[in-house]
Amino acid sequence: MKFIHAADLHLDSPFLGLRHLPASLLAQVRQSTFDAATVIFDRAIDEHVDFVLLAGDLFDRAEQSVAAQAYLFQQFTRLQDAQIPVLISFGNHDYLADQHQTVAYPDNVTVFGAEVSTQTLTLASGETVAVSGFSYPQRWVATDQTPGFPEHAATDWHIGLLHGAVSTGGAADHYAPFTVAELLAKRYDYWALGHIHQRQLLNEQPPILYAGNPQGRAITEAGDRGAYLVTSEAGQLVPHFFKTAVIGWAAPNLTVTTTPTLTDLGQQVVAWLAANPAGLPTLTALTVHLPQPLSGADAAQLASGDWLALWQRTQQRAMRAANRYVIAVKVVAAPATVAAPQLDAQYWEAGAASTFTAANLQDLFGKLAQESVLADWFTRPQTASDLETAAQQKLAELMGEEAHDHEA
Amino acid sequence: MKLKRLTIYGFGKFHDRTFQLNSSLNVLLGPNEAGKSTLTQFISAIFFGFPTKKHLELRYEPLDGSRFGGEIAFSLAGTDYLVSRVDGPRGGKVTLRNTTLDLALPAATLTHLLAPVDAQLFQHVYAINEPQLGTVFTASKQELVDRLRHVGAVGSDFWLQQAQQLDRTADTLYKPQGRKPTLNQLLLEHREVTTKLNKANASYASYWELLQQQQQRQRQQADLQRQLVVQRRIASQYDQQLALWPVYQQWQALATEPAQSNTGFQQADATMLERLTNQVKAATATQQADQTQLKSLQTQQQLSPLFQDYLLVTAQVDPLLARLPDITIADRERQRLAGERDGLQQQTQVLEQQYATNGQMPRTFSLATTQQVRQLTANLQLATQKRRRLQQQLNQLNEQYRQQQPTRQRQKNPLADKQIGWLAAGLIVLVGAMFLPSTFFKLVGALLGVAVGYYGVFIVDSSTPASRQQQSLEDDIRDVQAQLREGGRTIEQLTSQLDDIGDAHGMGALPVEQWTAAQEAIVTWERLTQRLEAAAAQLATAEQTVKQFTAAVQAALPAVDATSLATLTAQLKDLQATQQRLQSQESDVTAIAARLKRDQAAVDQSQQAVTTFLQTRNLRSTAAFYQRYQRVQEQGSRASQRTALAQQMGETQLAQLKRVTSRSALAQKTTAATSKVTALQEQLDTVTTQLATGAGQLAHLTASGTQSTLRQKLANLETQMQAVTQEWLVNRLVSQWIAATLAAASGDRLPQIVKTASQFYGKLTENRYTEIELTPTTLRVRRTDGAWRSVGQLSRGTAEQLDFAVKLAFAVVMAQRVAMPVVIDDGFVNFDAQRRQAAYRLLATISTDVQVILLTADSLVTETLPTENLIRLTD
């Protein structure tokens, strides 16, 4: 018995956190989610797996991607030709409801309904496999669905297919919250999880694991991405990870001992690229540690992104050679010893206390709250703290600037 | 900080001028253009730098071309410093010395020494002049507040500036109502892209629609294809039917012929008859051929008529022929027997002639007789032999005697000659006896001859005398001769005995010597007689056989020449030889004959078969059969033609055609079917085209990448937007933070400042206004009657007094930290006399805490103020 467990294909969804990419790379990026998924399906066909489990978020329903649907039709047909069944439990992104989807997937594809149900497969080897799962009927499933999963069926194997997140007990548990203990209590042979993009083993044996997404789409999704080929070995199901990503993400650190000018910084980055070529085309967000902050003008130029844009244009060859594309250069400097601007820290603290309040932030954000994209970002819990941190940095810069001014 | 001395190298109208200042109140008196503002500017310039050359009017470069710059000696925290500044880059070249320790200090130290006071703070707070006070009215409320805050907190000016800068930057990033700022533009773009994406997303619906359509069309296509196949089949069937119509008609025409029984007249039957006829023909032909061959052979062999006859009756003749050797033997036997018989008769006759006496043959001796005879004969013989021996002896003796005679006697033997004569005489007698008539005489004669010869030879000879021993010899001879004589007697005796016997047996005529032979002859004769009888009997049998054979042959072959058996045999042998000769050859006539016979049989048989064949069909001749057969054949061929036609048409087609009423109906149906096919094909083509178009559209939708591109663009845009928003927010927040911090920082001193300012303001306004209230956004004053007045409601002078009061209050309150002298440059222009006096008094009061440099054109100042240090600029 052999099957593939994949999740969170997020076909045709854009890469996040990018401001500018050259056209060639953009094409590659656009194709990457497909290419990564194709690696999975190719593997399925090459290995003659018995079936393929897709634990949700194959695509983003809201994005209404034609390419994603067309791709799935094409690949499912491929798998059908290879007589490989596909079992899908839709997740929070590709939830069931779609008034548009008028054509069903090929016959080899089973999409679980909103209620937990069980599909039983009889494999070529004669083994029987029960797969239990459900699909999200809408974006959120706030209730724990595990009670709906049956006990281990009278089959050789029983596998749970679940798109969800471990329960935190908080209000944000709207992704079919579950606990590992609950899953273990079902005595299944394997729990194929989806939703968390970072692959993760919640339990060794029986395996309860997130396959992770096959293609990272943001700098937060660095590291190896892929899916699992699961084989039966001595009465147990053993997952074997295989890489699928066609574009990598990396956020390396670069420490520079002397505070450079931007030109020097550019060269340092080029040197770093030459010394650290990547296997996959990798979107690289560099954090450069400097002993002292850049000069005000340099910092401003860096902050505005103009410098990076210019650098990207001029250093294309170096980036190509290293198979990396530098998407961001962030500078971290030890805070300058600030000649106190004659204002006691207590006043700054008092000022911060009155400034960084939710009400003030909300007030300041004002009309922008109408922009859903920004509102989403703004309402993220860490945004406020991010803002505060950024403000502190900014202030620190200003203080440094002040110091410089005095020196001048 | 106290300024001690101002030394001007060259600045504005001043050059090489020194002003000594005390630590409290200094009054510098001068009319307009005496250089009061120049001095204010000088202090600012030396401490904070020359303005850039862009602001030439503020630089106060010396008009007379003396060295630009000057120096200020000041004390700060118990230490004396001297700072000088001359023209140079970036605000001028600064030299700083710690004069207490006589230590040169880096220029940068100056900023730290002055901190937190900078040019702005100095200009705004400490350098008080009418235009500065006047700004109160032109400034916005916010500026007023800022100013107050600036006054309220040390270094706040920088921060306020930063805050303003941040706000300005923030404004370039985003304005809620703006269009140009980055974020506004981004938002606009985002909206546009979103619209585009929504438009592109419409393709999602179209995609599904298309997909569904495609599926429907595929089904439709399959359906149409199926229909088309069916319809094509129908049409082609009609076509075929139409094409088959003539065939069908032909078939129908053929169908009118009535059926007839054909049994016995099938192809097989014809074949059979053919075979049979052929057999007859073949047999006849073979027979004829064989006959011809036989004839040719016969001709070739020149066979005798007899043989030809024979060939016809071989069955009868052959056994005869087989017997021929026997017959020949029999014949030969017969001949032999005849010969034997003749021989025997002859022998018998000879014997009879020889021994028969009077035709009577002597009797045979009995055994005893024979014995006796033999004894006698033997005795006789012995006697004879004895005599001969004696004779011989005698002869020998005679020889010896003769040898003893002289040679001549020996040469001449008269006795020998005599012997020959005897012999000759005996011979003559013998021969002569042969001519005697009777056998007996002959025999006697012969015997006589022999006797004569014998006598001559032996008897005479025995009398031959011997040789010189003649005497003895003669004795011997005599003795022998005696013996001889005796012997002669014996012999005679014996002979007489024998004669007796001979006479008794009829053999008296025969000499005894012949008796044995005669006896033998008699036995032979008797035997011969017997044999003769047997031979005669055998002969008769043989002759009988031969006769029978001959008769049989003659019966079989009448043409045979049966004159003699030899001829017959010869003929038969000839036949046999011929036959054998023919047999030995390849083209054996017999074989041919046999074949002929077989041929004949075959001919008969086959003819019989033909006859039978015809009879079973009630026919008289083969011709009749063939006639009938022909008819049947024709009928058959029509049927088979019909079958072939039916086959050509096919069962179903035929069935279909049978239902068709007329050709025109069929043609109509065909046309209808064809047009239906065409219609279906058209539909199919349309659907196929639609499918292709749909596939193209789908491919286009799928491959366009518009959605992806837009989505990625949006994502990038959103990233940018978030970044900009964050930047904007950070700017705003930092600005707010600064404001809040300033508020907090000034919050401590503000009450003091406000309180002090209130006092000062009261003094300046002769207690018309008793209280100043400062809120984060507004400033107002309370009159003595308790009514509140906003700044806008104050008169220009009163407002300036308010500002003055606040500034002084600030300088006083902050004096511990910021010991900057207050430089007042004709600041009381709009003050009435009383209030100006009050102001002077106030200045005098505060000068204990703060160094005051009052530059004024008002000479009355000396009336009010103590003038410990009055400098007249005009001096």
Side-chain angles (χ1 to χ4, degrees):
Chain A
M1 132 113 161
K2 190 154 63 165
F3 67 92
I4 277 182
H5 163 206
D8 302 277
L9 305 184
H10 282 282
L11 292 170
D12 203 25
S13 42
F15 278 24
L16 304 175
L18 298 176
R19 295 201 199 187
H20 175 75
L21 279 182
S24 60
L25 197 60
L26 193 66
Q28 226 175 328
V29 162
R30 206 170 65 202
Q31 203 52 40
S32 63
T33 51
F34 297 109
D35 290 347
T38 305
V39 173
I40 294 172
F41 297 129
D42 283 352
R43 188 73 187 261
I45 287 164
D46 290 347
E47 295 275 353
H48 300 292
V49 298
D50 294 305
F51 53 92
V52 174
L53 297 182
L54 299 175
D57 286 0
L58 312 191
F59 50 88
D60 195 330
R61 182 79 71 190
E63 283 177 353
Q64 304 196 328
S65 165
V66 171
Q69 296 301 340
Y71 174 83
L72 284 177
F73 270 103
Q74 180 206 335
Q75 293 299 321
F76 289 162
T77 308
R78 253 184 96 202
L79 291 174
Q80 187 180 34
D81 292 344
Q83 296 180 326
I84 297 173
V86 182
L87 293 109
I88 301 171
S89 91
F90 282 136
N92 54 308
H93 278 289
D94 52 356
Y95 54 92
L96 276 172
D98 184 357
Q99 78 276 17
H100 291 298
Q101 182 147 3
T102 48
V103 179
Y105 292 129
D107 294 338
N108 62 322
V109 180
T110 306
V111 176
F112 284 100
E115 298 297 324
V116 176
S117 62
T118 303
Q119 293 288 329
T120 306
L121 303 173
T122 303
L123 310 184
S125 63
E127 292 168 285
T128 50
V129 184
V131 182
S132 298
F134 72 97
S135 288
Y136 281 45
Q138 68 283 318
R139 269 197 178 281
W140 287 358
V141 171
T143 52
D144 187 347
Q145 296 292 313
T146 40
F149 280 78
E151 293 297 315
H152 194 304
T155 48
D156 294 326
W157 307 99
H158 199 137
I159 297 168
L161 189 58
L162 175 59
H163 186 90
V166 174
S167 170
T168 59
D173 277 353
H174 40 238
Y175 297 117
F178 63 88
T179 64
V180 173
E182 276 181 311
L183 299 191
L184 284 174
K186 296 291 176 189
R187 306 201 161 279
Y188 285 5
D189 300 293
Y190 190 95
W191 278 95
L193 305 183
H195 183 63
I196 303 295
H197 288 188
Q198 181 57 48
R199 64 195 162 92
Q200 209 175 332
L201 196 63
L202 300 184
N203 191 62
E204 191 77 40
Q205 195 58 244
I208 299 178
L209 68 91
Y210 285 107
N213 56 350
Q215 172 62 57
R217 292 180 304 119
I219 193 67
T220 52
E221 296 177 358
D224 287 342
R225 302 272 140 188
Y228 284 89
L229 176 69
V230 186
T231 54
S232 59
E233 290 168 23
Q236 292 187 330
L237 294 179
V238 183
H240 304 278
F241 177 75
F242 62 95
K243 294 185 205 175
T244 57
V246 293
I247 294 179
W249 292 82
N253 289 300
L254 167 62
T255 305
V256 175
T257 46
T258 54
T259 294
T261 61
L262 280 181
T263 318
D264 295 339
L265 181 67
Q267 279 162 2
Q268 293 265 19
V269 174
V270 169
W272 182 88
L273 282 179
N276 295 282
L280 283 178
T282 301
L283 301 176
T284 307
L286 262 179
T287 303
V288 184
H289 296 271
L290 302 177
Q292 284 171 328
L294 290 169
S295 73
D298 282 356
Q301 215 189 338
L302 186 64
S304 69
D306 295 344
W307 177 81
L308 182 63
L310 184 67
W311 186 90
Q312 283 168 341
R313 274 203 298 280
T314 49
Q315 296 301 340
Q316 270 175 10
R317 187 180 298 169
M319 291 197 285
R320 251 203 310 282
N323 211 8
R324 285 180 186 273
Y325 190 81
V326 178
I327 52 166
V329 174
K330 191 173 136 193
V331 166
V332 175
T337 46
V338 181
Q342 283 75 44
L343 294 175
D344 292 340
Q346 58 174 28
Y347 302 136
W348 288 113
E349 279 165 23
S354 64
T355 310
F356 298 106
T357 62
N360 186 43
L361 282 174
Q362 196 62 54
D363 190 42
L364 190 59
F365 196 59
K367 260 175 68 176
L368 288 177
Q370 292 167 11
E371 305 292 338
S372 62
V373 181
L374 295 176
D376 285 350
W377 164 78
F378 186 73
T379 48
R380 270 183 234 155
Q382 88 263 26
T383 304
S385 63
D386 282 355
L387 285 172
E388 197 167 337
T389 312
Q392 277 164 355
Q393 272 175 2
K394 187 93 182 174
L395 195 67
E397 273 171 38
L398 291 176
M399 285 174 176
E401 207 170 308
E402 188 192 44
H404 283 296
D405 280 355
H406 283 290
E407 278 161 21
Chain B
M1 183 173 72
K2 311 283 183 190
L3 308 187
K4 289 190 158 177
R5 187 181 71 246
L6 310 176
T7 308
I8 301 171
Y9 306 147
F11 196 83
K13 61 179 293 183
F14 298 109
H15 60 93
D16 300 322
R17 183 83 186 262
T18 304
F19 299 95
Q20 292 291 340
L21 301 175
N22 65 14
S23 60
S24 54
L25 180 65
N26 298 280
V27 179
L28 284 86
L29 186 64
N32 290 339
E33 295 191 13
K36 298 188 290 294
S37 300
T38 308
L39 272 178
T40 315
Q41 200 58 42
F42 174 76
I43 294 166
S44 173
I46 296 303
F47 279 145
F48 305 110
F50 301 124
T52 59
K53 287 187 177 173
K54 282 180 197 165
H55 309 282
L56 208 58
E57 75 283 0
L58 295 174
R59 276 174 67 86
Y60 291 89
E61 287 190 44
L63 303 172
D64 59 356
S66 57
R67 192 157 68 122
F68 182 43
E71 58 182 51
I72 296 174
F74 62 95
S75 68
L76 182 65
T79 311
D80 292 336
Y81 298 93
L82 179 68
V83 60
S84 71
R85 188 182 295 259
V86 293
D87 197 12
R90 294 165 76 191
K93 190 171 178 291
V94 175
T95 320
L96 181 67
R97 286 189 69 81
N98 180 335
T99 45
T100 311
L101 299 169
D102 195 16
L103 207 70
L105 295 172
T109 316
L110 180 64
T111 322
H112 293 297
L113 290 175
L114 294 172
V117 181
D118 57 7
Q120 239 186 340
L121 186 64
F122 180 74
Q123 291 288 347
H124 285 144
V125 180
Y126 293 95
I128 301 164
N129 54 16
E130 196 272 331
Q132 284 285 354
L133 292 173
T135 55
V136 173
F137 296 97
T138 55
S140 68
K141 185 162 70 182
Q142 181 60 41
E143 212 171 342
L144 179 66
V145 174
D146 286 349
R147 187 71 64 224
L148 279 168
R149 283 195 180 147
H150 194 159
V151 172
V154 182
S156 59
D157 199 42
F158 165 81
W159 286 117
L160 284 170
Q161 206 180 0
Q162 293 301 335
Q164 273 175 7
Q165 182 60 43
L166 287 169
D167 284 339
R168 270 197 298 279
T169 312
D171 282 345
T172 64
L173 292 173
Y174 172 65
K175 275 183 190 167
Q177 303 298 334
R179 284 186 65 84
K180 271 197 162 176
T182 319
L183 184 58
N184 295 69
Q185 295 227 325
L186 285 173
L187 281 168
L188 208 63
E189 196 182 346
H190 187 265
R191 254 169 237 129
E192 280 167 15
V193 175
T194 308
T195 314
K196 274 189 200 165
L197 180 59
N198 285 337
K199 223 177 272 175
N201 279 348
S203 70
Y204 185 67
S206 341
Y207 169 76
W208 286 113
E209 207 175 315
L210 261 176
L211 207 60
Q212 199 178 12
Q213 274 177 14
Q214 285 295 87
Q215 240 184 17
Q216 268 173 3
R217 280 174 191 152
Q218 269 161 4
R219 275 198 297 272
Q220 210 176 339
Q221 189 187 37
D223 195 40
L224 279 172
Q225 274 167 345
R226 227 171 9 250
Q227 279 183 35
L228 194 60
V229 168
V230 172
Q231 200 55 44
R232 274 222 182 95
R233 207 155 47 218
I234 291 169
S236 82
Q237 263 182 3
Y238 281 133
D239 273 345
Q240 279 174 13
Q241 282 170 17
L242 203 58
L244 286 173
W245 185 254
V247 180
Y248 175 66
Q249 280 184 324
Q250 212 178 336
W251 179 81
Q252 271 183 326
L254 285 170
T256 51
E257 193 74 12
Q260 210 177 354
S261 165
N262 301 328
T263 8
F265 296 93
Q266 297 302 322
Q267 178 70 47
D269 300 304
T271 314
M272 194 173 159
L273 179 59
E274 189 78 12
R275 189 166 53 76
L276 291 174
T277 324
N278 281 346
Q279 274 175 5
V280 173
K281 271 187 202 152
T284 316
T286 313
Q287 194 183 26
Q288 274 171 0
D290 285 347
Q291 273 169 355
T292 315
Q293 202 180 0
L294 184 61
K295 259 179 206 149
S296 79
L297 270 175
Q298 282 169 348
T299 327
Q300 201 184 348
Q301 299 296 335
Q302 289 178 326
L303 293 172
S304 62
L306 180 62
F307 188 77
Q308 289 171 31
D309 290 344
Y310 155 74
L311 287 175
L312 297 172
V313 290
T314 43
Q316 295 166 39
V317 176
D318 281 348
L320 296 176
L321 282 177
R323 282 174 58 200
L324 194 58
D326 294 343
I327 299 299
T328 315
I329 290 164
D331 185 47
R332 205 174 296 136
E333 185 69 19
R334 182 180 61 88
Q335 278 178 352
R336 189 186 56 81
L337 285 172
E340 196 181 38
R341 185 192 62 189
D342 291 349
L344 284 172
Q345 278 176 342
Q346 210 171 345
Q347 277 178 15
T348 318
Q349 276 169 2
V350 169
L351 285 174
E352 279 169 1
Q353 276 175 0
Q354 203 176 347
Y355 297 107
T357 322
N358 306 322
Q360 180 77 41
M361 276 299 283
R363 291 182 307 272
T364 52
F365 295 152
S366 65
L367 202 57
T369 314
T370 310
Q371 204 72 29
Q372 196 181 10
V373 168
R374 198 173 293 162
Q375 191 64 50
L376 288 172
T377 315
N379 290 346
L380 184 61
Q381 216 164 359
L382 277 171
T384 314
Q385 272 172 356
K386 193 174 176 182
R387 199 177 63 183
R388 202 180 297 152
R389 197 171 62 231
L390 290 172
Q391 189 65 46
Q392 235 168 351
Q393 257 175 347
L394 185 64
N395 285 351
Q396 275 172 346
L397 289 171
N398 284 340
E399 186 67 21
Q400 282 170 350
Y401 179 77
R402 204 182 50 225
Q403 275 175 346
Q404 284 165 0
Q405 299 280 338
T407 311
R408 201 186 27 170
Q409 275 186 322
R410 226 191 300 164
Q411 277 178 336
K412 213 174 169 185
N413 193 353
L415 192 67
D417 293 339
K418 252 193 267 180
Q419 278 179 323
I420 293 168
W422 284 99
L423 268 171
L427 207 58
I428 292 160
V429 169
L430 195 65
V431 172
M434 290 312 284
F435 290 103
L436 291 170
S438 166
T439 309
F440 184 73
F441 290 120
K442 278 178 188 174
L443 205 53
V444 174
L447 285 171
L448 191 67
V450 170
V452 170
Y454 189 77
Y455 177 76
V457 172
F458 296 103
I459 300 199
V460 172
D461 195 40
S462 52
S463 60
T464 310
S467 55
R468 55 181 172 169
Q469 300 139 340
Q470 253 170 332
Q471 203 54 53
S472 74
L473 282 172
E474 277 169 5
D475 295 343
D476 289 341
I477 291 166
R478 270 169 215 119
D479 187 32
V480 171
Q481 279 169 334
Q483 284 179 354
L484 273 172
R485 270 168 328 253
E486 197 188 357
R489 274 180 320 267
T490 318
I491 290 169
E492 273 166 23
Q493 194 187 353
L494 286 170
T495 307
S496 69
Q497 280 179 346
L498 280 170
D499 285 343
D500 292 345
I501 293 168
D503 286 342
H505 288 82
M507 287 174 57
L510 286 173
V512 179
E513 290 86 13
Q514 287 181 6
W515 283 10
T516 317
Q519 276 298 314
E520 281 172 9
I522 293 164
V523 173
T524 307
W525 183 82
E526 280 176 352
R527 211 168 51 232
L528 281 174
T529 315
Q530 280 168 359
R531 274 172 61 188
L532 193 56
E533 279 165 17
Q538 280 178 350
L539 184 59
T541 319
E543 274 180 342
Q544 183 63 29
T545 311
V546 169
K547 222 174 266 171
Q548 278 174 353
F549 178 73
T550 312
V553 169
Q554 264 181 323
L557 297 166
V560 79
D561 179 12
T563 44
S564 74
L565 184 64
T567 41
L568 186 64
T569 312
Q571 282 172 4
L572 287 175
K573 282 222 174 109
D574 193 33
L575 278 178
Q576 218 166 12
T578 310
Q579 193 185 26
Q580 270 163 4
R581 182 162 51 86
L582 290 175
Q583 265 171 356
S584 66
Q585 283 169 8
E586 271 193 305
S587 54
D588 193 7
V589 176
T590 316
I592 293 173
R595 253 156 58 197
L596 271 172
K597 212 157 72 185
R598 280 201 307 279
D599 291 345
Q600 187 61 48
V603 168
D604 291 349
Q605 203 180 345
S606 49
Q607 262 167 356
Q608 183 57 40
V610 170
T611 314
T612 312
F613 179 86
L614 290 173
Q615 272 170 354
T616 53
R617 286 167 180 76
N618 279 330
L619 293 171
R620 279 185 304 279
S621 67
T622 45
F625 172 81
Y626 277 115
Q627 204 176 353
R628 181 80 181 280
Y629 174 68
Q630 194 63 33
R631 251 194 349 263
V632 170
Q633 268 316 83
E634 270 167 31
Q635 193 185 342
S637 86
R638 283 167 80 97
S640 66
Q641 202 179 341
R642 195 159 186 262
T643 316
L645 288 174
Q647 221 159 26
Q648 186 187 341
M649 289 185 284
E651 244 175 76
T652 43
Q653 291 286 33
L654 187 56
Q656 298 278 349
L657 279 167
K658 278 177 185 166
R659 284 201 285 273
V660 175
T661 49
S662 72
R663 190 182 184 282
S664 60
L666 185 59
Q668 210 172 341
K669 271 184 184 171
T670 309
T671 316
T674 311
S675 65
K676 201 166 175 188
V677 166
T678 314
L680 277 173
Q681 185 63 55
E682 266 169 30
Q683 278 181 42
L684 182 60
D685 287 349
T686 313
V687 171
T688 308
T689 314
Q690 281 174 343
L691 266 173
T693 314
Q697 285 171 330
L698 269 178
H700 178 71
L701 276 180
T702 311
S704 77
T706 318
Q707 270 190 313
S708 308
T709 311
L710 287 173
R711 210 171 289 125
Q712 186 64 51
K713 200 168 172 183
L714 264 189
N716 292 2
L717 213 53
E718 281 162 15
T719 306
Q720 217 170 336
M721 278 160 60
Q722 281 169 13
V724 173
T725 309
Q726 176 164 344
E727 201 182 342
W728 175 76
L729 278 172
V730 167
N731 280 330
R732 284 280 187 230
L733 283 169
V734 172
S735 168
Q736 282 188 349
W737 191 7
I738 289 169
T741 304
L742 287 179
S746 56
D748 277 355
R749 298 184 180 90
L750 259 183
Q752 270 191 60
I753 292 171
V754 170
K755 194 176 161 192
T756 312
S758 298
Q759 287 172 10
F760 290 174
Y761 195 42
K763 283 181 184 169
L764 286 173
T765 59
E766 293 152 323
N767 294 323
R768 261 183 72 82
Y769 295 95
T770 53
E771 200 181 342
I772 300 172
E773 192 189 62
L774 189 68
T775 67
T777 50
T778 62
L779 175 72
R780 57 179 189 171
V781 292
R782 189 151 76 170
R783 292 202 309 200
T784 357
D785 56 6
W788 287 99
R789 289 286 183 274
S790 67
V791 175
Q793 291 171 318
L794 299 177
S795 71
R796 183 182 171 87
T798 315
E800 284 185 9
Q801 283 145 25
L802 173 61
D803 194 23
F804 182 63
V806 172
K807 281 178 174 171
L808 282 186
F810 175 81
V812 170
V813 171
M814 300 299 285
Q816 282 93 5
R817 289 199 61 187
V818 189
M820 199 68 192
V822 177
V823 183
I824 301 136
D825 178 9
D826 261 351
F828 314 129
V829 179
N830 295 322
F831 290 22
D832 62 25
Q834 275 189 330
R835 292 195 180 176
R836 197 179 298 159
Q837 292 303 321
Y840 291 149
R841 278 196 297 276
L842 187 56
L843 283 178
T845 314
I846 67 158
S847 68
T848 51
D849 298 326
V850 179
Q851 188 181 27
V852 176
I853 302 166
L854 176 64
L855 299 156
T856 182
D858 182 12
S859 53
L860 293 176
V861 70
T862 48
E863 292 172 16
T864 321
L865 291 173
T867 52
E868 288 103 48
N869 189 15
L870 174 69
I871 300 162
R872 292 185 188 275
L873 291 174
T874 45
D875 290 348

